């Protein structure tokens, strides 16, 4: 069994690698070559959440689980709030193969998922990126989005406005003008909106969003979280990574509970990637990607880290 610690990941897996791995994983799901197992996610109190995301990809030969969660007290301790580890097993024998630090990989694969959705569903002429959220993941999201469209400006809103200047630094790194704005101004300008918050209630309302916008709603990955008004999902063509997760613990959970949409209204994005669904059908349509985060994404990027570590002779081998 190979241990690939968190500190090695940045040298082993690039954002471009993560994009390719996530795109292949969504396509594999649409071809029924790969499946996610039901998610376990439990509230521990004081905002802490812990759980397991797992699955098997028969085409890629990966099986395993990501164990981890969200611990909002960590920032005050000098650690990021997300903590996770990925465990890979041989799909034929069940023997453990690797344990891989999952923190950077989670950020890379989550940003890659949003970018895959932007690439597949946003209007090609999208020029203004709207960011709702300014925490740890937001910086990765901004960088990944900027790789798939020629944005000319970033507008951003955050519930805690004091966090926005740090996101502005990321925009500056990319050479993009950055403006902190109200949600009204964000929706009025943005062609693409990424939401990436731990919000328990909708911030972005349907009235904020103009026709033709693509939204990647990435923060809601647990029962009870919510970033956008359910009416927005009723107005949009809704895509997701995994329908079962979207309707139970993703952003769609609220629109489903209110009877505004049905499960059959939510489409796996893999179908668009393999050409089985047309995706966006007009420049005026609102498209919304409900990115809930699937175990197969974690396995795909962890397997890549393991391959690279083996090639470079890095990591620690344990006999178990
Ligand atoms: P973080 O703790 O670094 O940042 C939290 C963000 O949420 C900040 O922008 C903060 O201002 C905002 N926020 C906090 N309370 C809020 C409230 N009451 N209303 C509105 N906004 C509020 O967290 P992070 O690591 O950036 O993660 C952000 C979210 O993304 C979390 O909910 C996390 O679980 C989720 N996430 C999802 C996936 C996925 O695959 N879908 C993967 C990783 C993280």
């Amino acid at each position: 069994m190979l241990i690939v610690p968190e500190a090695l990941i940045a040298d082993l897996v690039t954002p471009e690698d993560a994009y390719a791995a996530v795109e292949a994983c969504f396509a594999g799901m649409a071809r029924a070559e790969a499946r996610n197992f039901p998610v376990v996610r439990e509230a521990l109190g004081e905002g802490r959440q812990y759980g397991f995301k797992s699955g098997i990809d028969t085409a890629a030969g990966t099986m395993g689980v990501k164990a981890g969660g969200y611990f909002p007290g960590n920032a005050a301790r000098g650690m990021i709030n997300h903590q996770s580890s990925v465990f890979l097993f041989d799909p034929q024998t069940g023997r453990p193969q690797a344990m891989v630090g999952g923190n950077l990989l989670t950020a890379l694969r989550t940003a890659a998922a949003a970018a895959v959705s932007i690439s597949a569903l946003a209007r090609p002429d999208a020029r203004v990126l709207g960011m709702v959220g300014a925490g740890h993941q937001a910086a990765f999201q901004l960088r990944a989005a900027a790789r798939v469209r020629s944005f000319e400006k970033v507008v951003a809103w955050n519930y805690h406005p004091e966090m926005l200047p740090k996101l502005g630094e990321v925009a500056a790194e990319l050479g993009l003008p950055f403006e902190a704005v109200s949600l009204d101004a964000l929706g009025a300008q943005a062609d693409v909106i990424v939401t990436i918050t731990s919000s328990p209630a909708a911030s972005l309302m349907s009235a904020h969003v103009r026709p033709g916008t693509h939204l990647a709603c990435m923060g809601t990955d647990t029962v009870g979280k919510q970033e956008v008004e359910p009416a927005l999902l009723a107005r949009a063509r809704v895509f997701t990574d995994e329908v079962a997760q979207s309707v139970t613990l993703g952003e769609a959970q609220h629109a489903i509970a209110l009877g505004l949409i049905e499960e059959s209204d939510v489409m796996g994005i893999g179908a668009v990637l393999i050409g089985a669904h047309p995706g966006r059908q007009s420049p005026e349509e609102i498209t919304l990607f409900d990115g809930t985060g699937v175990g197969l994404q974690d396995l795909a990027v962890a397997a890549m880290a393991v391959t690279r570590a083996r090639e470079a002779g890095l990591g620690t081998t344990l006999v178990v």
Side-chain angles (χ1 to χ4, degrees):
M1 175 179 183
L2 186 69
I3 313 271
V4 186
E6 187 65 44
L8 287 181
I9 301 297
D11 290 333
L12 296 174
V13 180
T14 65
E16 289 78 9
D17 291 332
Y19 185 96
V22 167
E23 194 175 41
C25 147
F26 290 161
M29 285 164 60
R31 289 193 205 96
E33 296 164 354
R35 67 190 173 100
N36 295 288
F37 304 148
V39 174
V40 174
R41 185 108 169 148
E42 293 292 321
L44 305 181
E46 298 153 357
R48 289 170 301 148
Q49 282 149 10
Y50 183 66
F52 309 98
K53 286 189 170 177
S54 56
I56 185 166
D57 186 330
T58 46
T62 51
M63 181 173 81
V65 57
K66 178 169 85 169
Y70 186 72
F71 301 83
N74 282 6
R77 300 184 181 103
M79 288 183 267
I80 61 170
N81 292 341
H82 261 281
Q83 292 295 327
S84 63
S85 306
V86 184
F87 298 84
L88 297 176
F89 300 86
D90 183 326
Q92 298 305 323
T93 65
R95 296 277 300 153
Q97 290 179 320
M99 174 183 159
V100 186
N103 296 351
L104 177 57
L105 288 178
T106 295
L108 290 174
R109 66 75 147 147
T110 306
V116 166
S117 86
I118 295 166
S119 172
L121 298 169
R123 295 189 336 265
D125 62 351
R127 291 290 174 265
V128 178
L129 173 63
M131 293 292 306
V132 175
H136 181 72
Q137 308 292 329
F140 292 88
Q141 291 286 335
L142 173 46
R143 290 193 191 101
R147 274 188 212 99
V148 292
R149 282 291 180 277
S150 302
F151 291 115
E152 292 170 356
K153 181 179 177 185
V154 180
V155 289
W157 177 90
N158 194 42
Y159 184 75
H160 302 103
E162 67 279 9
M163 295 168 79
L164 284 167
K166 212 162 163 223
L167 192 62
E169 288 170 21
V170 178
E173 255 172 49
L174 299 167
L176 289 171
F178 180 89
E179 204 184 328
V181 294
S182 66
L183 282 170
D184 279 323
L186 185 144
Q189 297 177 67
D191 302 305
V192 171
I193 300 175
V194 175
T195 63
I196 183 74
T197 70
S198 54
S199 175
S203 307
L204 191 69
M205 300 295 155
S206 182
H208 289 134
V209 177
R210 59 184 183 154
T213 303
H214 172 68
L215 297 107
C217 298
M218 306 305 295
T220 299
D221 55 1
T222 306
V223 172
K225 285 191 193 172
Q226 185 177 20
E227 299 194 285
V228 306
E229 188 182 17
L232 183 55
L233 280 87
R235 218 178 127 205
R237 192 176 292 277
V238 181
F239 298 86
T240 186
D241 39 23
E242 164 83 54
V243 174
Q245 290 189 196
S246 169
V247 300
T248 54
L249 52 82
E251 198 58 46
Q253 65 182 284
H254 307 288
I256 293 271
L258 291 169
L260 296 177
I261 63 168
E262 294 177 4
E263 183 167 332
S264 57
D265 294 320
V266 183
M267 173 61 53
I269 194 167
V272 181
L273 301 177
I274 67 168
H277 186 283
R280 166 176 292 279
Q281 283 165 44
S282 79
E284 293 78 36
E285 183 165 79
I286 294 173
T287 50
L288 186 149
F289 175 67
D290 184 5
T292 64
V294 294
L296 287 168
Q297 284 171 263
D298 299 303
L299 305 190
V301 287
M304 190 169 269
V306 169
T307 303
R308 296 269 166 80
R310 287 216 165 98
E311 285 165 2
L314 296 171
T316 305
T317 302
L318 290 183
V319 179
V320 291

